[in-house]
């Protein structure tokens, strides 16, 4: 595979699995710059193993974030009383 | 002094973020009673300073920042943070990967099997056992959905520190979850199999190599 151009003049380099894995969590956290993101996305589109790893990390992160989704509020009576007293 | 409209606005804002503030407080204090006190102190402090908040789009991170400041000033004074700092920073950043550990077991779809059996309670427990600096980073990032930039502002640390703390938090969390997988017996019988990741993107990517049993 060769480096490619995304049509906006930005060269999208090929990266290997080691580099892709290094960037994965920054990508998931939306902390990658555009060109590094494009390079990773290009890699993920062609590498099943890295894509599996990416999907796994997303699911772990979703498990953690779902801890915040409680149907019942945990606001205490103490806090409600405090707000009423303000 | 706040006028009635501001009071209503303030109460609405606090109620909107109260659950998240309580979660963050519990993750800091590891104790519901102290967490409730911390949230109450935060609300009082925020109420005093609410008129000074110019940009209401930053209200959520402003509340969390006040909470964290209150925690540091109140609880650090009482030496409750001492042990946390000692145990929090020294861990080296090795490259442990739960995904690699699971896929190396040689069982059928081990990562899917693991995720299916992984309960919310187990994840919560693993997070609770992280040292404070990692616990607060992962809670703010993955549970409260703050960006690295916002977390840096809340904790008053450089953004690079936030990034490395989150990375280390995930490493430690994955180690804890791997231990859980071992306890669950999800690692199969092929304990001496290993996986070699071959970078042949788009072709046959992964080759599982069975170690020869003697």
């Amino acid at each position: 595979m060769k480096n490619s151009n995304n049509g906006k003049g930005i060269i999208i380099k090929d990266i290997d699995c080691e580099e892709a894995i290094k960037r994965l969590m920054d990508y998931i956290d939306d902390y990658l710059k555009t060109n590094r993101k494009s390079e990773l996305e290009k890699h993920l589109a062609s590498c099943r193993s890295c894509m599996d790893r990416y999907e796994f990390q997303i699911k772990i992160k979703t498990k953690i974030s779902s801890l915040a989704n409680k149907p019942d509020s945990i606001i205490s009576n103490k806090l409600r009383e405090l707000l009423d007293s303000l | 002094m706040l006028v009635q409209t501001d009071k209503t606005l303030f109460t609405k804002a606090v109620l909107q973020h109260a659950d998240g503030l309580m979660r963050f407080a519990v993750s800091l204090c590891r104790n519901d009673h102290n967490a409730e006190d911390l949230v109450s102190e935060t609300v009082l402090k925020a109420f005093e300073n609410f008129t000074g908040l110019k940009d209401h789009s930053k209200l959520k991170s402003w509340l969390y920042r006040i909470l964290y400041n209150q925690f540091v000033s109140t609880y650090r004074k009482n030496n409750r943070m001492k042990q946390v700092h000692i145990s929090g920073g020294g861990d080296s950043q090795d490259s442990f990967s739960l995904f690699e550990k699971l896929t190396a077991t040689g069982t059928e779809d081990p990562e899917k099997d693991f995720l299916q059996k992984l309960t919310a309670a187990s994840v919560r427990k693993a997070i609770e056992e992280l040292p404070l600096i990692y616990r607060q980073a992962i809670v703010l990032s993955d549970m409260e959905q703050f960006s690295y930039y916002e977390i840096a502002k809340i904790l008053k640390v450089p953004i690079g520190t936030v990034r490395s703390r989150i990375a280390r938090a995930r490493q430690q969390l994955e180690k804890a979850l791997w231990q859980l997988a071992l306890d669950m017996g999800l690692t199969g019988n092929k304990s001496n199999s290993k996986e070699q990741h071959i970078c042949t993107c788009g072709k046959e990517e992964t080759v599982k190599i069975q170690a020869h049993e003697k």
Side-chain angles (χ1 to χ4, degrees):
Chain A
M1 282 198 291
K2 289 178 182 173
N3 294 344
S4 57
N5 190 307
N6 71 348
K8 294 175 185 170
I10 298 169
I11 303 290
I12 303 171
K13 288 186 211 161
D14 282 332
I15 56 169
D16 60 18
C17 292
E18 193 183 343
E19 183 58 32
I21 290 164
K22 272 189 205 165
R23 294 185 193 182
L24 208 53
M25 291 318 295
D26 281 342
Y27 177 65
I28 288 170
D29 291 339
D30 198 21
Y31 189 64
L32 274 188
K33 287 182 180 163
T34 312
N35 61 328
R36 291 172 67 81
K37 193 173 171 178
S38 302
E39 288 161 6
L40 178 63
E41 284 171 348
K42 182 183 171 192
H43 180 88
L44 290 177
S46 64
C47 180
R48 187 65 247 168
S49 177
C50 286
M51 182 54 99
D52 284 347
R53 185 187 287 252
Y54 165 71
E55 286 169 353
F56 178 75
Q57 295 297 351
I58 286 280
K59 283 171 187 164
I60 290 284
K61 185 167 168 150
T62 306
K63 286 262 182 194
I64 297 170
S65 57
S66 67
L67 295 177
N69 303 332
K70 277 192 167 182
D72 301 320
S73 173
I74 52 174
I75 300 171
S76 66
N77 289 334
K78 188 178 174 182
L79 180 59
R80 287 185 196 283
E81 283 166 19
L82 175 65
L83 286 170
D84 288 342
S85 72
L86 292 175
Chain B
M1 195 70 185
L2 290 182
V3 294
Q4 191 54 43
T5 14
D6 284 340
K7 277 187 188 173
T8 311
L9 196 67
F10 178 79
T11 304
K12 196 177 165 191
V14 169
L15 286 173
Q16 189 184 348
H17 300 297
D19 281 345
L21 288 169
M22 188 62 192
R23 279 192 300 270
F24 186 41
V26 170
S27 80
L28 294 173
C29 304
R30 296 169 113 170
N31 170 316
D32 285 0
H33 181 73
N34 287 349
E36 273 186 22
D37 286 348
L38 181 58
V39 172
S40 298
E41 288 160 16
T42 301
V43 170
L44 286 173
K45 192 84 179 172
F47 186 69
E48 285 168 19
N49 294 288
F50 190 58
T51 47
L53 178 68
K54 302 292 175 218
D55 184 356
H56 282 213
S57 68
K58 292 178 180 161
L59 191 138
K60 182 182 174 189
S61 57
W62 179 74
L63 287 170
Y64 279 72
R65 190 160 64 244
I66 293 173
L67 188 145
Y68 185 67
N69 289 344
Q70 285 295 115
F71 171 72
V72 171
S73 61
T74 308
Y75 292 85
R76 203 178 205 174
K77 258 187 231 164
N78 297 339
N79 288 337
R80 292 179 199 179
M81 277 177 74
K82 249 184 190 171
Q83 48 94 19
V84 160
H85 277 291
I86 293 163
S87 64
D91 200 30
S92 64
Q93 191 171 4
D94 51 356
S95 57
F96 183 89
S97 164
L98 176 62
F99 178 81
E100 283 177 14
K101 287 281 184 188
L102 287 167
T103 51
T105 58
T107 55
E108 186 86 17
D109 290 330
E111 70 276 21
K112 285 178 191 158
D113 194 18
F114 175 70
L115 286 166
Q116 270 176 2
K117 291 176 180 163
L118 185 62
T119 62
S122 310
V123 179
R124 190 185 303 279
K125 186 168 182 289
I127 292 172
E128 281 170 4
E129 286 172 2
L130 289 173
L132 174 66
I133 59 168
Y134 300 147
R135 195 166 69 241
Q136 66 194 17
I138 206 92
V139 166
L140 289 173
S141 164
D142 290 2
M143 285 172 71
E144 305 307 325
Q145 312 296 327
F146 283 111
S147 66
Y148 288 4
Y149 176 77
E150 290 169 319
I151 297 170
K153 289 279 178 192
I154 292 167
L155 302 179
K156 289 186 186 164
V157 293
I159 202 162
T161 304
V162 171
R163 186 172 168 267
S164 72
R165 282 185 189 177
I166 291 172
R168 289 180 186 193
R170 288 188 174 132
Q171 289 271 311
Q172 292 209 15
L173 195 59
E174 290 199 7
K175 281 181 186 171
L177 295 180
W178 171 240
Q179 187 54 52
L180 192 68
L182 291 172
D183 295 345
M184 284 175 176
L186 288 178
T187 53
N189 298 320
K190 301 171 183 177
S191 58
N192 51 355
S193 70
K194 62 179 179 179
E195 182 179 83
Q196 186 178 345
H197 185 117
I198 299 175
C199 183
T200 53
C201 312
K203 299 173 192 169
E204 194 73 27
E205 308 95 355
T206 305
V207 178
K208 284 179 181 154
I209 302 169
Q210 260 321 104
H212 294 290
E213 287 184 32
K214 292 184 180 175

